[in-house]
Amino acid sequence: MGIESVSEYDAAEILLLINEHFPYMHLGFERLVKRIHHPQFFFQKAMEKENLVGYAEWQILNPKEGIIQLNGIVVKPWHQGKGYGKILMEAGEKWARKKKLEKIRLLVATSNENAKKLYRLSGFAFKKIHPKKIGGEKAEVWEKKLVL
């Protein structure tokens, strides 16, 4: 079990996960590769032996206010419950602290109880209902203040 940085060589496999779990993003291969290389974004992958079992995408929203957003986190179903989500979250938080970011924000579908459980266990708290629907569903804004 390990966490590694994502490279463009991982883009095709990650794009499959994005299209499956976040189809409303309409993210193509070229756009994903640009995001992987853009300094505003941070991608990481969870690996088991030689296999990618999950990924997380983080985006610096406002460096002056110290805000980073978790845009997406996915752990493949047959690897869920093994701690991969937790270590992806911890690795992202560590990266955010190195960048002197003070707050993590994320959006989660109101019905996604598994994700909300992970976020709650990771120290996030519900803040408000997001004004826009995501993928046709109501979404919640959750936040966590980081100790630098």
Side-chain angles (χ1 to χ4, degrees), residues 16-65:
L16 289 173
L17 292 172
I18 290 170
N19 288 337
E20 179 182 347
H21 295 275
F22 309 107
Y24 50 84
M25 288 185 64
H26 307 290
L27 190 66
F29 183 81
E30 297 295 323
R31 196 164 147 224
L32 176 58
V33 170
K34 284 181 184 177
R35 286 169 85 138
I36 288 170
H37 291 294
H38 196 287
Q40 185 179 355
F41 291 88
F42 172 61
F43 285 81
Q44 58 200 141
K45 61 185 177 181
M47 300 293 291
E48 184 174 87
K49 298 179 184 172
E50 299 291 319
N51 300 309
L52 187 146
V53 299
Y55 88 97
E57 175 191 345
W58 304 82
Q59 178 182 3
I60 299 172
L61 291 182
N62 189 328
K64 290 180 182 175
E65 291 182 24

Side-chain angles (χ1 to χ4, degrees), residues 6 15 76:
V6 167
L15 187 59
K76 292 179 179 178

Side-chain angles (χ1 to χ4, degrees), residues 112-127:
N112 193 342
E113 294 301 327
N114 284 341
K116 292 194 291 188
K117 179 181 177 185
L118 171 65
Y119 302 146
R120 205 174 289 111
L121 290 171
S122 297
F124 285 81
F126 169 84
K127 288 296 173 190

Side-chain angles (χ1 to χ4, degrees), residues 33-144:
V33 170
K34 284 181 184 177
R35 286 169 85 138
I36 288 170
H37 291 294
H38 196 287
Q40 185 179 355
F41 291 88
F42 172 61
F43 285 81
Q44 58 200 141
K45 61 185 177 181
M47 300 293 291
E48 184 174 87
K49 298 179 184 172
E50 299 291 319
N51 300 309
L52 187 146
V53 299
Y55 88 97
E57 175 191 345
W58 304 82
Q59 178 182 3
I60 299 172
L61 291 182
N62 189 328
K64 290 180 182 175
E65 291 182 24
I67 300 172
I68 186 169
Q69 180 164 292
L70 175 60
N71 286 339
I73 183 170
V74 174
V75 175
K76 292 179 179 178
W78 52 93
H79 295 284
Q80 292 177 2
K82 297 180 180 179
Y84 289 107
K86 181 180 177 186
I87 61 171
L88 282 165
M89 296 290 290
E90 289 170 352
E93 288 181 24
K94 182 178 178 181
W95 183 83
R97 283 187 186 94
K98 282 184 186 177
K99 296 284 186 185
K100 305 287 190 235
L101 300 167
E102 299 174 5
K103 187 188 298 182
I104 300 174
R105 180 177 296 153
L106 60 87
L107 303 178
V108 61
T110 301
S111 65
N112 193 342
E113 294 301 327
N114 284 341
K116 292 194 291 188
K117 179 181 177 185
L118 171 65
Y119 302 146
R120 205 174 289 111
L121 290 171
S122 297
F124 285 81
F126 169 84
K127 288 296 173 190
K128 63 182 179 181
I129 297 292
H130 194 269
K132 295 182 182 176
K133 289 185 177 182
I134 297 176
E137 234 185 294
K138 282 187 180 179
E140 300 174 3
V141 177
W142 287 52
E143 291 182 350
K144 178 179 181 174

